[in-house]
Amino acid sequence: MPRLRDLGVTPGVLPTGRYNAITDVPGVLVGQVTLIAGEGPLRPGHGPIRTGVTAILPHGGNLFQEKVVAAVRTFNGFGKAMGFEQVRELGTIETPILLTNTLNVPRVADAVIDYMLAENPEIGLTAGTVNPVVGECNDSFLNDIRGRHVRAEHVLAALQHASGGPVAEGAVGAGTGTACFGFKGGIGTASRQTPAGYTLGALVQSNFGSRQHLQVLGVPVGQHFRDRLLPLSTPPSGSVMIVLATDAPLTARQLGRLASRAALGLARTGAISASGSGDFVIAFSTANRRPHRPAQDVYTLQAIAEEGQAVIDDLFLAVVESVEEAVLNSLTAATTMTGRDGHTLYALPTDELADLLRRYGRAAG
Amino acid sequence: MPRLRDLGVTPGVLPTGRYNAITDVPGVLVGQVTLIAGEGPLRPGHGPIRTGVTAILPHGGNLFQEKVVAAVRTFNGFGKAMGFEQVRELGTIETPILLTNTLNVPRVADAVIDYMLAENPEIGLTAGTVNPVVGECNDSFLNDIRGRHVRAEHVLAALQHASGGPVAEGAVGAGTGTACFGFKGGIGTASRQTPAGYTLGALVQSNFGSRQHLQVLGVPVGQHFRDRLLPLSTPPSGSVMIVLATDAPLTARQLGRLASRAALGLARTGAISASGSGDFVIAFSTANRRPHRPAQDVYTLQAIAEEGQAVIDDLFLAVVESVEEAVLNSLTAATTMTGRDGHTLYALPTDELADLLRRYGRAAG
Amino acid sequence: MPRLRDLGVTPGVLPTGRYNAITDVPGVLVGQVTLIAGEGPLRPGHGPIRTGVTAILPHGGNLFQEKVVAAVRTFNGFGKAMGFEQVRELGTIETPILLTNTLNVPRVADAVIDYMLAENPEIGLTAGTVNPVVGECNDSFLNDIRGRHVRAEHVLAALQHASGGPVAEGAVGAGTGTACFGFKGGIGTASRQTPAGYTLGALVQSNFGSRQHLQVLGVPVGQHFRDRLLPLSTPPSGSVMIVLATDAPLTARQLGRLASRAALGLARTGAISASGSGDFVIAFSTANRRPHRPAQDVYTLQAIAEEGQAVIDDLFLAVVESVEEAVLNSLTAATTMTGRDGHTLYALPTDELADLLRRYGRAAG
Amino acid sequence: MPRLRDLGVTPGVLPTGRYNAITDVPGVLVGQVTLIAGEGPLRPGHGPIRTGVTAILPHGGNLFQEKVVAAVRTFNGFGKAMGFEQVRELGTIETPILLTNTLNVPRVADAVIDYMLAENPEIGLTAGTVNPVVGECNDSFLNDIRGRHVRAEHVLAALQHASGGPVAEGAVGAGTGTACFGFKGGIGTASRQTPAGYTLGALVQSNFGSRQHLQVLGVPVGQHFRDRLLPLSTPPSGSVMIVLATDAPLTARQLGRLASRAALGLARTGAISASGSGDFVIAFSTANRRPHRPAQDVYTLQAIAEEGQAVIDDLFLAVVESVEEAVLNSLTAATTMTGRDGHTLYALPTDELADLLRRYGRAAG
């Protein structure tokens, strides 16, 4: 599947990490399960199925015992993301982060609890409970969302097979059934390296946007496809989930500042954050970990000195560029998908996109 | 089961509604299912079971089609309440509100989805998705919380048998296994009528507080029971869920102001909102309803004129008094409960409480 | 002074109002006072002076007696904007909105109090107090900011001469000394009309951005001027104040949703919301007014039905497009300005900009 | 002037610091200027004057160069507190904290800028600007608030004469003209020591509450004075400013958690946070300081491990108890004050209070 850079485009100014993926942040793992089954008319509860689950693990150890510092930002709260209250209060994430479809959030959260309970026998006995963090998009244009077809076994498979390195993009995992600017969207990722030596990666589940608003590097791509490759009816107003990872040492407050900037990356693709689009951001740092049972009453944590603004500003820029490119990668990597009732979401034709970008002077060749 | 007022105490200055319960707000229904099974050593996944579910229905109609204006406030976010993001953004609640234990939140939310899907065939087809609102407390001191024993059938039973009138309090429903100030806590409710003719009701799931901090009308009751009727070990740091209902016409912003004052009612009982206590408030008005598919692009809603402060201030006072009394009712109505591993939470002895209150000049007789 | 559209560019898809200005919202008035005096070395407290004040009046009547429904959003709080707490709580603005430089905020607020006290003899006697809303940017690269040269007489002049119709842009009023993407920034404005017949206008005080990030319709304009027309040293990290006005009937909650989208408009110009950039948004509706002393305890207000998403989404789009174009107008309308210590901020050369936009296929001709 | 403990009352369970004052936190200084002049009919702009200013300095050094970690919480935003946006974003305070009356906020903020500019010649040149933090209450029942009689010289005097040790309470400084529960309120302070060895202090400017709601240790004191010692007319709905200081090492997020609990302390005195009562909290730690120009890009800060909950919970309890006692001290220390138009606020009679507390078993003797 082509990525945006395969079209001769170099968006932004910062260099990418090795894989141009969230997994460029050392230790971060991604696992996905894609569910495609059936075709034809929708039979609620039965199919067709075009959905899945994407798991992001901040590290490969026991996340409950070794939590990561984290923050969330809700840019538009019309959505059902789960687990945000505790992250806001405590500034930590203690489970893998799961993405799925809207109606499947509880089942996926329940499976995360299964996983955490198995790994941590003291939860619910001597160690309090656990806070699953789950995000979602509405994939009902293609998928029998009422069927809630993502089951515990799929979640566990995504967690168990999570790995570093390249990340599958497009119509996979939690992005299997999603739409972006009226094209087939899905999972996308990108990363940036900052001059101070930090890596920041973004992963998105893209499911937002009206065709006419799509911009690629400012080129009005959506206008060029205004009357072509449209879905027969309008997909429901979607959403976008954004996960940010970094190895920069940051406090929860600082991660919140990074998370705010994700919206700026969305905007570069033409997003207006429509009323029905639940736009949520989850950010974590792998550099500040908190044990579940600390040995001391006082601990030290490291933070970027914001007074010397270059280091934090480069991280902000890395967020904006990574989110922009991750969304565009979710489009270029997606393949045309037909789902329930013959609903079809077309892939953004990457050859035409490349032509357009060249015509507007934004791609090489 | 005695309520606080049965002890000769009249807390606060505003009159109560007929039942001194959240159901005094016309149309509000409450349904509860209590699960008690097994005893002896904890066998995780099997029991003993001391848990349940409490459902609050803002009205008896189709809540998805006729949403209520609502607000949430997170006073201490160390908890797993679900559905808050969308309420903050849109200012409406479109499902029943469910309370349960912490690890059961996803299963209960999934059952709410079952219920909503059955009632609204267009959800997930032509009508977007649905946002379950679920609150929780950690009842693991008595209950096999890892077993997640509240199932869909229990949720549906609570919803189907929900009714107006008196509300069962103490060790029932979602309060079956909870602890409050080291005594047996649980469900409590109270209501107030304001001079302008509005009714405000509160329902709490109490699971917070250290013994030494318990105050009843300022009387240091906790100090008097400092060495008696203590659990053998300390229950995990708990939480409190507070649901507020009113028939006063309020906007979401105004309901948020009411919800903030709930913490003041808690404080009157001695609450310090300990770090591990997830303290959440959900408030709704039955007076401003929003159809899922409005006929017009512009609608009118009614609101209390805050500039004439008496009306809104009386509602604030009603919140403070109702929450205080609901917590105290959750204590006086509770009965001693022994759960897993022989863990026992003693009921606050109401005769001794009455004596104490008399001795301190706070109760009649 | 040229505006962006004079270059043959038509940004966005919605039509503008008559003046393409915030004053297209009926009743909204803008008044500005520009202070330019002295040159040469900075003598703190004396000059040179390159500053001013911009006043936005939601309507021409007595704002204290007839408040407008309003909301604020802080996208990046590194700034000294004043009056936001009360707007968040009550959802109203009861004074003109003033913009000035950072250290002048208190003096301008004090002058607003003068103005309000003169107009409303009951303030501080029988009618409570009053909440001035003042925004700011740091213009110290050109201006003797320590001198706090905006005095009460300037504020009163801006208020008294406020008018509808065309709005002066560029290096005027509160934008006299500001920098945007290393060019001369300042005041900019734009407006949009939505299909439902509403008007939305934006006014910005632009003082943000690093040269390299400047984009115009996605064209990497900043990169083209990477080595030219640069200030000799880097201006301090700036800020941006954004004021949004509309005649659409909206609640405070809904106006908050509009205000959130302003950041998306900024992002289209290349903004990353640098750490030192205080980015604040103030939004009001002229359609829902609240009397200081309402005759009734209950009132009705009108709101857009968000369930029929097109109307609110068009307003969101109007925000994004208006803010983007207002920022660009603040650049194209600005003239080169030399201030203290010979510091110079160059105007973005509009002929070269037009050439660039043509070269990238984004301007006519 | 008697303090609550002089009446034989020992509120709460934690021990106080040496002075039972915010100045028990090492390094914290308080300075106050009280302005009392004229009597008889109000002549707006001339008098009578019953107002003042209270300054809290987190340490005696240069606060701009050595900022303190801080947080703010707005419990009820109907007020004009200034400087909160930046504290929320950056988690630091870089000036003294000033309290005054509502309409004087800008003048006091301007004077703080004077002071900071004089101390830091680089502000506005090479070092950005500065963020004054000012809180306020409406003292117009006694004071000619329109006159804005607190001038720069008073602010500078408060700052220059700030000291450690005992703090004047009651009708002094910013509390000179304020009302609390219909009695004379004003400045009050208290402190607590936690088992882990930390000190937490609170200082309040009390100006809130209706007579009937006043409780002291739960004793319905307000009801006992329902018909006596009332002001002839009702003071305007007031406010309360709360400043918290601690030497515990806390992050901004953690200080925010402490600040939230201040409302619980208010509630113990009977507060309902009336609509017109702007209730604001400012909290800082003297243990984590941030240089304006850090030498390194990465720094370490210390924090309390919240997982071991006792240490943070004791700090929460210290907040609740200190705020409660500070409010009560503001009442017991106040003296009857007559101001404009013969308006009189009576001191809460401490002998009768002591009698009442004894009668209800809450005071010794």
Side-chain angles (χ1 to χ4, degrees), chain A residues 13 75-76 213 217-218 220 223 237 257 260-261 263-264 267 272-275 309 312-313 316-317 360-362, chain C residues 13 75-76 213 217-218 220 223 237 257 260-261 263-264 267-268 272-275 309 312-313 316-317 360-362:
Chain A
V13 298
F75 191 76
N76 183 18
H213 298 151
L217 285 74
Q223 301 289 339
S237 186
R257 302 187 80 199
S260 289
R261 272 71 184 177
L264 305 177
I272 66 158
S273 199
S275 180
Q309 298 177 347
I312 194 94
D313 282 351
F316 290 169
L317 179 60
Y360 280 91
R362 301 312 307 274
Chain C
V13 300
F75 191 76
N76 182 17
H213 299 150
L217 283 74
Q223 301 289 339
S237 186
R257 302 187 79 200
S260 289
R261 273 69 183 177
L264 305 177
R268 290 185 175 199
I272 65 160
S273 200
S275 180
Q309 297 176 348
I312 194 94
D313 282 353
F316 290 169
L317 179 60
Y360 280 92
R362 303 311 309 273

Side-chain angles (χ1 to χ4, degrees), chain B residues 13 75-76 78 213 215 217-220 223 237 257 260-261 263-264 267-268 270-276 306 309 312-313 316-317 320 360-362, chain D residues 13 75-76 78 213 215 217-220 223 237 257 260-261 263-264 267-268 270-276 306 309 312-313 316-317 320 360-362:
Chain B
V13 299
F75 192 75
N76 183 17
F78 197 156
H213 298 152
Q215 300 181 2
L217 285 75
V219 174
Q223 301 288 339
S237 185
R257 302 187 79 200
S260 289
R261 271 71 183 177
L264 305 177
R268 290 184 174 198
I272 65 158
S273 199
S275 180
E306 288 149 296
Q309 297 176 348
I312 194 93
D313 282 351
F316 290 169
L317 178 61
V320 176
Y360 281 91
R362 302 312 309 272
Chain D
V13 299
F75 191 75
N76 182 16
F78 197 156
H213 299 150
Q215 299 182 1
L217 284 73
V219 174
Q223 302 289 338
S237 185
R257 302 187 80 200
S260 289
R261 273 70 183 176
L264 305 176
R268 290 185 174 199
I272 65 159
S273 200
S275 180
E306 288 149 296
Q309 297 176 348
I312 194 94
D313 282 352
F316 290 170
L317 179 60
V320 176
Y360 280 92
R362 301 312 309 272

Side-chain angles (χ1 to χ4, degrees), chain D:
Chain D
M1 306 300 173
R3 309 186 76 189
L4 181 67
R5 285 174 189 258
D6 298 332
L7 310 183
V9 175
T10 308
V13 299
L14 292 173
T16 71
R18 177 174 176 193
Y19 299 108
N20 194 17
I22 196 170
T23 46
D24 289 325
V25 179
V28 174
L29 310 176
V30 174
Q32 308 195 67
V33 167
T34 303
L35 300 177
I36 298 178
E39 49 189 60
L42 175 66
R43 294 172 52 227
H46 298 277
I49 301 172
R50 299 289 184 277
T51 194
V53 64
T54 297
I56 301 97
L57 286 73
H59 62 69
N62 184 322
L63 283 157
F64 186 76
Q65 301 300 338
E66 210 176 348
K67 307 175 202 295
V68 289
V69 171
V72 290
R73 277 291 189 281
T74 296
F75 191 75
N76 182 16
F78 197 156
K80 286 78 179 171
M82 188 174 167
F84 277 30
E85 301 301 320
Q86 185 164 316
V87 180
R88 280 198 194 93
E89 186 75 32
L90 299 181
T92 50
I93 285 180
E94 61 186 10
T95 67
I97 299 158
L98 273 290
L99 308 178
T100 187
N101 77 41
T102 315
L103 295 185
N104 241 123
V105 168
R107 293 191 180 178
V108 168
D110 196 53
V112 171
I113 292 175
D114 288 339
Y115 172 83
M116 300 306 293
L117 293 186
E119 216 180 23
N120 299 280
E122 70 272 47
I123 292 178
L125 300 180
T126 57
T129 55
V130 65
N131 183 50
V133 175
V134 184
E136 53 77 28
C137 289
N138 178 354
D139 57 13
S140 65
F141 185 71
L142 297 183
N143 178 50
D144 168 30
I145 196 172
R146 292 172 65 99
R148 288 166 280 170
H149 296 286
V150 179
R151 303 303 168 97
E153 69 214 56
H154 306 127
V155 173
L156 296 178
L159 293 169
Q160 280 156 4
H161 299 121
S163 64
V167 173
E169 294 174 301
V172 296
T176 303
T178 62
C180 192
F181 293 108
F183 286 112
K184 184 69 197 80
I187 299 298
T189 190
S191 73
R192 290 294 185 273
Q193 290 182 301
T194 73
Y198 300 118
T199 300
L200 183 132
L203 182 146
V204 305
Q205 175 191 20
S206 74
N207 194 39
F208 68 96
S210 295
R211 174 64 58 87
Q212 63 175 342
H213 299 150
L214 173 61
Q215 299 182 1
V216 178
L217 284 73
V219 174
V221 171
Q223 302 289 338
H224 284 267
F225 291 100
R226 198 159 201 180
D227 305 315
R228 287 191 301 136
L229 303 175
L230 288 168
L232 283 178
S233 64
T234 306
S237 185
S239 291
V240 62
M241 293 296 316
I242 302 171
V243 180
L244 302 175
T246 185
D247 55 2
L250 296 168
T251 66
R253 178 184 59 75
Q254 293 176 325
L255 282 163
R257 302 187 80 200
L258 265 67
S260 289
R261 273 70 183 176
L264 305 176
L266 288 183
R268 290 185 174 199
T269 69
I272 65 159
S273 200
S275 180
S277 180
D279 299 344
F280 297 93
V281 191
I282 300 164
F284 62 85
S285 164
T286 58
N288 276 317
R289 301 191 185 178
R290 296 293 310 137
H292 185 71
R293 295 198 181 285
Q296 310 288 340
D297 281 342
V298 175
Y299 66 98
T300 57
L301 74 165
Q302 289 198 299
I304 297 290
E306 288 149 296
E307 297 84 0
Q309 297 176 348
V311 179
I312 194 94
D313 282 352
D314 287 334
L315 287 166
F316 290 170
L317 179 60
V319 169
V320 176
E321 293 192 0
S322 295
V323 170
E324 175 190 19
E325 189 168 349
V327 169
L328 298 177
N329 279 339
S330 81
L331 284 164
T332 58
T335 46
T336 296
M337 177 82 75
T338 299
R340 63 113 158 164
D341 296 323
H343 286 183
T344 296
L345 290 169
Y346 295 95
L348 173 61
T350 49
D351 48 353
E352 287 193 63
L353 174 61
D355 279 348
L356 266 172
L357 291 170
R358 273 191 295 272
R359 199 190 319 162
Y360 280 92
R362 301 312 309 272

Side-chain angles (χ1 to χ4, degrees), chain A residues 51-255:
Chain A
T51 195
V53 66
T54 297
I56 300 97
L57 286 74
H59 62 69
N62 185 322
L63 283 156
F64 186 76
Q65 300 300 338
E66 207 177 350
K67 307 174 202 294
V68 288
V69 171
V72 290
R73 278 289 188 282
T74 296
F75 191 76
N76 183 18
F78 197 156
K80 286 77 180 173
M82 188 174 167
F84 277 31
E85 301 302 318
Q86 185 163 318
V87 181
R88 279 197 195 94
E89 187 74 31
L90 299 181
T92 50
I93 286 180
E94 62 186 9
T95 68
I97 299 158
L98 273 291
L99 308 179
T100 187
N101 78 42
T102 315
L103 294 185
N104 242 124
V105 169
R107 293 192 179 178
V108 169
D110 196 54
V112 172
I113 292 174
D114 287 340
Y115 172 83
M116 300 305 295
L117 293 185
E119 216 180 23
N120 299 280
E122 71 270 47
I123 292 178
L125 299 179
T126 57
T129 56
V130 65
N131 183 50
V133 175
V134 184
E136 54 77 25
C137 290
N138 177 354
D139 57 14
S140 65
F141 185 70
L142 296 184
N143 178 51
D144 168 31
I145 196 171
R146 291 172 66 100
R148 288 166 280 171
H149 297 285
V150 179
R151 302 302 170 98
E153 69 214 55
H154 306 127
V155 173
L156 296 178
L159 292 169
Q160 280 155 4
H161 299 121
S163 65
V167 173
E169 294 174 299
V172 296
T176 303
T178 62
C180 192
F181 294 108
F183 287 111
K184 182 70 196 78
I187 299 297
T189 190
S191 73
R192 291 293 185 275
Q193 290 181 301
T194 73
Y198 299 117
T199 299
L200 183 133
L203 183 147
V204 305
Q205 176 191 19
S206 74
N207 194 39
F208 67 97
S210 296
R211 176 63 59 87
Q212 62 175 341
H213 298 151
L214 174 60
Q215 299 182 2
V216 179
L217 285 74
V219 174
V221 171
Q223 301 289 339
H224 284 267
F225 291 100
R226 197 157 202 180
D227 305 315
R228 288 192 300 136
L229 304 175
L230 288 168
L232 283 178
S233 65
T234 306
S237 186
S239 291
V240 61
M241 294 296 315
I242 302 172
V243 180
L244 302 176
T246 185
D247 55 3
L250 296 167
T251 66
R253 178 184 59 75
Q254 293 176 324
L255 284 163

